[in-house]
Amino acid sequence: LTDDAGNRSANDRQQVEQEEPRQPSTWQMIKYGYNEMVNAIIRPPRAEYTMEMLGPVKFVMNGVQFQRDDLELTNQFGKKVVCSHWEPAPQYRVKTRLPCIIYLHGNASCRAEALECLPLVLSSGLTLFSLDLSGS
């Protein structure tokens, strides 16, 4: 009900405020769905892992002892970047300096993804460095 000026009464305003919120329009639902789909591709949930999933810190492969050194770097934004470097133990190194493969994981993954190529890289006389990329 409204008065002569077209204003609602206080009772009518309370009734409107107590009504259920309006359902989103079809356009709003499409826009929301599109944004969720884009975020699932561009910003999917980051892979989670534990340090145990990176394997032992020291291990033997083909009679050679290797080690994993974990370290933290700081990027240009002041964010911590965690890394792992797999290499022969000092007494098994054939040279002081060895070539290193830097493994950059895929979208929504982590440094543990590098474990797939670890046997090939280490048995080829190379070292492997992997890091958790921080995104942009």
Side-chain angles (χ1 to χ4, degrees):
L1 294 169
T2 59
D3 60 16
D4 292 337
N7 298 319
R8 292 184 177 199
S9 69
N11 193 23
D12 289 340
R13 282 193 302 265
Q14 280 182 338
Q15 185 178 359
V16 169
E17 289 171 1
Q18 292 174 358
E19 291 177 7
E20 289 187 28
R22 291 183 31 198
Q23 293 295 321
S25 70
T26 302
W27 175 248
Q28 289 170 323
M29 290 188 326
I30 291 170
K31 184 178 176 184
Y32 176 78
Y34 174 79
N35 288 335
E36 288 297 305
M37 182 180 67
V38 167
N39 285 332
I41 296 168
I42 295 174
R43 292 262 186 223
R46 196 174 283 278
E48 294 183 14
Y49 65 97
T50 62
M51 292 301 289
E52 290 77 29
M53 294 170 80
L54 293 174
V57 174
K58 294 183 180 201
F59 58 97
V60 176
M61 184 174 60
N62 298 329
V64 177
Q65 184 177 2
F66 293 93
Q67 64 188 33
R68 184 190 82 234
D69 296 310
D70 299 309
L71 59 139
E72 292 180 1
L73 303 175
T74 303
N75 69 13
Q76 70 268 31
F77 305 109
K79 302 287 183 180
K80 179 177 70 169
V81 178
V82 291
C83 314
S84 293
H85 185 211
W86 290 269
E87 60 185 336
Q91 65 272 25
Y92 289 92
R93 294 180 79 89
V94 293
K95 296 180 185 175
T96 304
R97 296 175 62 156
L98 294 171
C100 180
I101 300 292
I102 299 173
Y103 188 95
L104 304 176
H105 64 73
N107 195 20
S109 191
C110 62
R111 63 183 159 152
E113 185 178 290
L115 294 172
E116 295 175 18
C117 63
L118 190 61
L120 176 64
V121 170
L122 294 180
S123 66
S124 298
L126 308 169
T127 69
L128 181 65
F129 187 86
S130 183
L131 62 150
D132 282 338
L133 298 171
S134 60
S136 55

